[in-house]
Amino acid sequence: MTEHVPLTRGAWNVQADDPEALGDYWASFLDVVPNHCSGMEYLPAYESGGVPMMFQPRTTPRPEHRDSHVDPTVPWGQRGPYVDRAVSLGATVKWDVLDEHPHVR
């Protein structure tokens, strides 16, 4: 019998048309220092137990529907300043998730 080894999160990997620009956006938003390497961009986890991010060049045409997205969590009642900061860094507000799910942080 083999020893049970728990699964851990290695990194969230994303293909992007411009990995450096997307990685730089998330690095600014998350307040981490990106590591540029061979056309890819690696962002370390902000804190222990967090999930690092890796942005890689897109190798296939962009899908019509994205299969994943990121749900950052912020302290309850402090969402506004984080949204404002994301917009100031280049994000676009598409809708307010609280209109659909009022329990979401």
Side-chain angles (χ1 to χ4, degrees):
M1 178 180 227
T2 60
E3 182 181 338
H4 173 73
V5 178
L7 182 65
T8 59
R9 298 171 296 239
W12 182 62
N13 293 276
V14 177
Q15 285 191 353
D17 293 328
D18 189 344
E20 188 171 325
L22 189 57
D24 286 347
Y25 168 82
W26 278 104
S28 294
F29 185 73
L30 298 171
D31 197 23
V32 296
V33 176
N35 181 357
H36 306 282
C37 180
S38 302
M40 297 182 285
E41 186 144 329
Y42 174 81
L43 278 59
Y46 179 76
E47 59 187 16
S48 178
V51 179
M53 301 170 92
M54 173 73 82
F55 298 92
Q56 304 165 338
R58 184 178 310 287
T59 58
T60 59
R62 183 178 179 158
E64 188 174 315
H65 177 76
R66 290 181 287 280
D67 292 332
S68 67
H69 63 275
V70 177
D71 287 333
T73 301
V74 300
W76 190 257
Q78 298 179 25
R79 200 167 142 269
Y82 286 90
V83 171
D84 294 344
R85 182 161 179 253
V87 169
S88 76
L89 293 169
T92 303
V93 175
K94 299 276 187 169
W95 73 89
D96 188 338
V97 70
L98 295 180
D99 291 341
E100 298 172 32
H101 307 284
H103 65 281
V104 173
R105 291 175 77 178

